[in-house]
Amino acid sequence: MLMKLLLAVLLVSCGTVRKTAEVPEESALSVEDQRRYEYYYLEAVRLEQQGCYDEAFGMLTHCLDICPEAPSALYKMATYYFYLGQKDRALDALLHAVEGEPDNFWYRQTLASYYQTNREYDKAIAVLEEMQKQFPKRNGELLSALVGLYSHTQQYDKVIDALARLETLIGKTEAISMEKSRNYLLMGDKEGAFGEMEALAAEDPENSYYRVVLASMFMENGREGDALPVLQEVLAEDPDNGTAKIAMVKYYKLMADTVGYLAMVDSVLMTSTVDDETKVKMMVQLIMDKTDSVYVMQLFERAMQQPQRSAKLGHVCVQYMLTHHQPEERVRPILLRMLEAEPDHVQARLQLLSYAAKRNDLDEMIAICSTAIDYSPEILEFYYYKAAALYQKDKHDEALQTYRMATRQIAKDSSTELVSDIFAAMGDLYNEQGLHDEAYLCYDSALVYNPSNVLVMNNYAYNLSEEGIQLEKAEQMSLRTIKAEPENATYLDTYAWVLYKLQRYDEALEYMEKALVADSVDSDVLWEHAGDICHALGDNVKALLYWEKALELQQKAEAINEELKKKILKIKK
């Protein structure tokens, strides 16, 4: 619909919906026209509130037919023109609305917003500056808008002036002082920047942070000598002030004082009274300064040997070590320290789990996941990998029970792909137990969560074909899998087998031969299926060739299928 765009209309957010229609005094409307105007205008307001923007637009058109210079209708119509991309008409309507009702704050503010949106910053500034004179009681919000525009147009002196006037209205604040100081620096007035921060520090002498910021500014501008006494004063008052210590590290580095630098780094990282957030900031700063990675990792390891109140420092340490491809032996102790501080730290356990999985250490995988489930029962990954490990240990009942537990934790924000895989694995386990109805319910659930799960479709189709039921459904699912992965030998085999069950033997042989070509593991199942299809086509010579190949592979694997031997003997007779 044309006016759906007006859902975000500026004028609605400004609270400009009016209860009564307004027309210019000089528009000498008759009583009848005045009533008609008010009716159409109020009807436009009502329709707009109901979201009927096309109809509201029509009502406003009637208003302007009655009184072309009515500010209220022009103002509303300007928003419609703007969102229709008719900028010239929008501006013209706005200007006429302002001209007709010059004392209306919202009309002028919208005009300024129009100019700003159109990147006509000088015009926007002119409107807002004029509004300051006209609406002195609204100076706070007008000054805030002007600060942004002055900054955008790099009029730093005007930014400072506007901030100073804002300061007289609301008092000195950290945000204003910091912004004034920043703009002084942009102007090249370092003394003005220092003076601003000194005034802020004097305003709140109990807040040492401002003095540390001042010291940092001194260092950034070549006044290290002025920075040192400020930092020393802060540390004399509060020896464990982490922010001041980090600033001192920067000071020692600038002065090339290696002894002082190393001692202060240790003072931050190895002191139990320094909070974890400060230690993290220290390490992040070292990393950003491109400090030697060997030294950084040694610092991390030494720091992690101290008592940990949280896993914050360990988290940064692990990320850094993984980025630098450190081995498990080096990362693992950090992960364990993290879990001592925060036993429910999911990422630490997942990383330990990944190491155990790489080593295929099934017992460790089960142990990690079992503990993780106790602390974080909502994390489905732990159930999934525990069940997978149990399955590999031939503990199928326990695996199925673990999957069932996982389904009770499914939430709206759960990964749909993971949930699909969980139901798929349950379906496979039920099939192994001969519980086909339960298996198919699980497969259906898996496809609800992830309709593109081709592995589920393949297994579902194959099991249906083995039972000889719902073969049309099996054929449709299996066809989707080979369209998704046309070179997958397993999927080609399933599709061929479904076609075989449907007695479409020629098509079945075509796809089975494709499967044999694509097969990289030389599967005896594929060769046996190929023989079955050839036998159904009456080609017993070829069937015998395929079956004997399947038997040969089974003999190598020491897993001979007696039914296959019977089929071979029957043909040879």
Side-chain angles (χ1 to χ4, degrees):
M1 293 293 288
L2 174 66
M3 294 305 163
K4 290 295 182 183
L5 294 168
L6 290 172
L7 290 172
V9 111
L10 286 172
L11 306 183
V12 173
S13 67
C14 293
T16 58
V17 175
R18 294 163 178 265
K19 298 298 182 184
T20 60
E22 299 176 13
V23 294
E25 292 179 5
E26 62 269 27
S27 299
L29 295 179
S30 66
V31 174
E32 182 182 352
D33 283 345
Q34 179 71 33
R35 287 175 178 171
R36 287 173 58 225
Y37 181 91
E38 289 180 352
Y39 168 76
Y40 287 129
Y41 184 86
L42 294 174
E43 188 66 9
V45 171
R46 184 185 69 80
L47 290 166
E48 189 175 280
Q49 290 174 337
Q50 292 179 354
C52 302
Y53 300 113
D54 290 328
E55 293 81 354
F57 183 86
M59 294 297 105
L60 291 172
T61 302
H62 288 316
C63 288
L64 292 175
D65 288 340
I66 298 167
C67 184
E69 297 301 319
S72 52
L74 285 167
Y75 175 64
K76 276 190 167 295
M77 194 63 97
T79 65
Y80 285 78
Y81 290 144
F82 182 80
Y83 285 99
L84 286 168
Q86 300 176 21
K87 291 186 177 181
D88 291 341
R89 295 186 72 179
L91 177 59
D92 183 67
L94 263 180
L95 288 170
H96 277 83
V98 170
E99 183 183 348
E101 197 175 330
D103 294 331
N104 189 298
F105 178 86
W106 302 113
Y107 292 2
R108 288 186 179 274
Q109 186 185 57
T110 303
L111 179 60
S113 297
Y114 170 87
Y115 284 136
Q116 185 172 352
T117 302
N118 212 39
R119 300 184 180 180
E120 297 181 73
Y121 302 116
D122 291 341
K123 290 183 179 180
I125 289 171
V127 172
L128 291 171
E129 287 177 339
E130 183 64 29
M131 289 175 71
Q132 281 189 287
K133 302 171 188 175
Q134 194 173 2
F135 308 102
K137 292 183 179 180
R138 310 294 291 264
N139 253 355
E141 59 189 289
L142 293 171
L143 283 168
S144 296
L146 280 168
V147 165
L149 284 166
Y150 289 145
S151 181
H152 193 80
T153 54
Q154 299 182 355
Q155 299 182 67
Y156 306 125
D157 55 336
K158 290 190 175 182
V159 172
I160 293 169
D161 179 65
L163 288 169
R165 283 185 285 154
L166 189 60
E167 201 169 48
T168 62
L169 290 174
I170 65 175
K172 185 176 284 293
T173 69
E174 177 184 336
I176 291 177
S177 294
M178 295 286 280
E179 188 62 17
K180 284 170 71 178
S181 181
R182 188 179 74 86
N183 278 272
Y184 275 122
L185 289 174
L186 289 169
M187 290 175 62
D189 184 354
K190 295 182 180 179
E191 293 306 317
F194 299 148
E196 194 61 45
M197 288 310 302
E198 286 170 340
L200 180 62
E203 181 85 7
D204 188 3
E206 298 299 317
N207 192 333
S208 61
Y209 172 74
Y210 300 142
R211 284 179 284 165
V212 175
V213 171
L214 175 62
S216 297
M217 287 179 62
F218 283 144
M219 287 189 285
E220 289 167 3
N221 291 277
R223 290 177 56 176
E224 292 85 359
D226 293 325
L228 182 59
V230 175
L231 293 174
Q232 287 175 331
E233 180 184 53
V234 171
L235 288 172
E237 296 169 2
D238 180 9
D240 293 327
N241 189 304
T243 307
K245 284 186 173 186
I246 291 176
M248 282 297 292
V249 169
K250 182 178 181 180
Y251 170 80
Y252 286 128
K253 184 176 182 180
L254 286 170
M255 303 304 294
D257 184 344
T258 304
V259 174
Y261 174 83
L262 295 175
M264 189 54 66
V265 169
D266 272 16
S267 180
V268 173
L269 296 173
M270 310 305 163
T271 305
S272 60
T273 51
V274 175
D275 61 84
D276 290 354
E277 288 78 7
T278 300
K279 292 181 180 183
V280 168
K281 287 179 183 176
M282 178 77 265
M283 293 307 301
V284 169
Q285 187 60 55
L286 292 174
I287 294 168
M288 291 177 64
D289 289 343
K290 298 183 179 179
T291 308
D292 179 71
S293 61
V294 174
Y295 173 58
V296 170
M297 278 188 270
Q298 288 174 346
L299 278 176
F300 267 129
E301 289 172 324
R302 288 176 56 216
M304 288 302 297
Q305 290 172 7
Q306 309 301 316
Q308 302 295 307
R309 287 185 290 268
S310 74
K312 293 177 181 177
L313 184 63
H315 180 75
V316 178
C317 175
V318 168
Q319 293 303 310
Y320 186 78
M321 286 185 166
L322 292 176
T323 300
H324 286 77
H325 309 292
Q326 294 302 296
E328 177 186 349
E329 309 85 72
R330 196 166 191 181
V331 181
R332 186 182 181 84
I334 308 299
L335 294 169
L336 295 176
R337 293 307 301 271
M338 289 172 65
L339 290 171
E340 287 177 10
E342 293 184 28
D344 59 346
H345 199 285
V346 173
Q347 294 303 318
R349 291 203 188 275
L350 285 173
Q351 186 60 44
L352 287 171
L353 179 60
S354 73
Y355 287 139
K358 285 179 182 178
R359 290 184 271 104
N360 200 33
D361 189 332
L362 302 178
D363 290 330
E364 185 176 348
M365 287 176 66
I366 293 167
I368 290 170
C369 291
S370 297
T371 305
I373 288 168
D374 289 338
Y375 283 106
S376 306
E378 75 282 3
I379 306 299
L380 298 181
E381 284 85 350
F382 294 124
Y383 298 93
Y384 181 78
Y385 288 106
K386 178 182 178 180
L390 287 167
Y391 180 82
Q392 289 187 65
K393 288 176 69 68
D394 292 327
K395 297 181 178 181
H396 295 188
D397 289 339
E398 290 182 51
L400 187 55
Q401 179 61 29
T402 303
Y403 284 130
R404 287 198 194 104
M405 290 170 61
T407 61
R408 293 195 285 270
Q409 297 295 332
I410 295 171
K412 289 182 179 179
D413 59 348
S414 297
S415 164
T416 54
E417 291 187 359
L418 179 58
V419 173
S420 178
D421 290 342
I422 287 170
F423 276 114
M426 289 176 66
D428 293 341
L429 281 166
Y430 278 127
N431 258 322
E432 288 182 9
Q433 297 177 3
L435 301 172
H436 300 300
D437 290 341
E438 290 84 347
Y440 299 153
L441 285 173
C442 286
Y443 288 147
D444 285 330
S445 297
L447 291 174
V448 167
Y449 281 96
N450 181 10
S452 300
N453 193 328
V454 290
L455 182 59
V456 172
M457 286 187 273
N458 176 76
N459 293 353
Y460 197 173
Y462 186 77
N463 285 305
L464 287 174
S465 68
E466 284 290 271
E467 275 205 276
I469 61 173
Q470 301 184 57
L471 293 177
E472 290 75 13
K473 178 179 180 179
E475 194 266 341
Q476 291 173 2
M477 286 191 294
S478 187
L479 181 60
R480 287 185 63 189
T481 70
I482 61 171
K483 284 182 177 179
E485 297 183 30
E487 302 298 321
N488 187 307
T490 300
Y491 297 168
L492 288 165
D493 169 60
T494 297
Y495 188 58
W497 196 242
V498 172
L499 293 172
Y500 168 78
K501 292 287 185 171
L502 286 165
Q503 299 182 11
R504 290 158 58 180
Y505 302 127
D506 289 327
E507 293 176 76
L509 183 59
E510 176 188 347
Y511 282 96
M512 186 55 69
E513 288 177 343
K514 289 181 180 179
L516 291 172
V517 171
D519 184 22
S520 60
V521 297
D522 224 7
S523 167
D524 65 281
V525 174
L526 270 64
W527 289 100
E528 185 173 356
H529 283 172
D532 291 344
I533 294 169
C534 288
H535 180 64
L537 285 166
D539 189 346
N540 288 337
V541 173
K542 205 169 184 179
L544 185 59
L545 181 66
Y546 286 148
W547 283 340
E548 286 181 336
K549 174 66 175 179
L551 183 60
E552 178 187 338
L553 293 170
Q554 290 178 6
Q555 288 170 338
K556 286 181 181 178
E558 297 181 353
I560 297 173
N561 180 351
E562 294 298 326
E563 289 300 316
L564 175 60
K565 290 174 69 176
K566 291 178 182 178
K567 287 190 286 188
I568 292 172
L569 289 173
K570 186 175 181 180
I571 285 184
K572 285 185 174 181
K573 289 180 180 179

